[in-house]
Amino acid sequence: MKFFLDSANVEEITRVMSWGVVAGVTTNPSLVAREGKEFMPLLKQICSIVPGPVSAEVLSEGADDMVAEARELAAVADNVVVKIPLTADGLAATRELSAQGIKTNLTLAFSPVQAMLAARSGATYASLFIGRLDDVGACGLSAVAETVRNFQAYAVGTRVIAASIRNVGHVEGAMSAGADYATVPFRVLSDCLHHPLTDQGIEKFKADWEKAMK
Ligand code: E4P
């Protein structure tokens, strides 16, 4: 499984890029709004920091308007992937964008059948929202696992992104389910990195070393 960072914060993105572990970044309108910056210059800046795919979401609603907005976003940098909500208009826009060679990330997928529709429209990625499914009493990880199985069974080329990740268990579950990517917020990625036994181990090695060198 590869990692994306789910963030529009330049400091977080710069920091995580230096770790060398993420393949790209996903943003959404809520994350961008939190930054209080103009969208297009921010997107350009993120794309210059990140060599891999950077997902940026359209806010338009009709298919034609989505396509027009997607083309503007895609013109910002070669690594932009346009995020499209999983609606009928979103599918029509994706079909057109895919024919134009523009990469898409069909977002707000909550069921395996929605994910299959995304794939059939030509989406490059389909994002399944684990945390938001858990919030309503469903099992987000099961939806990811079933989607992965379906895509394998039908030899679908669309990549599965496990999204709406809230904790380390979600990341581990996405990995076990066979997701191609997990898009992980900075806090959760930091939690994935840390383990109390690692910290204790470092302290013990240091203490043993210092004792022997006295
Ligand atoms: C996915 O691409 C979204 O940006 C994100 O994962 C949504 O997460 P949330 O449900 O925590 O807002």
Side-chain angles (χ1 to χ4, degrees), residues 2 12 19 21 25 49 95 110 116 130 142 148 155 176 184:
K2 292 181 179 165
E12 286 179 359
W19 302 351
V21 297
V25 162
I49 301 168
R95 191 186 62 131
F110 293 92
M116 186 58 84
I130 298 173
S142 304
V148 169
S176 302
V184 187

Side-chain angles (χ1 to χ4, degrees), residues 38-60:
E38 227 185 297
F39 184 29
M40 289 303 206
L42 177 61
L43 178 60
K44 202 175 173 68
Q45 190 182 8
I46 295 172
C47 289
S48 71
I49 301 168
V50 180
V54 175
S55 288
E57 190 158 340
V58 297
L59 284 161
S60 307

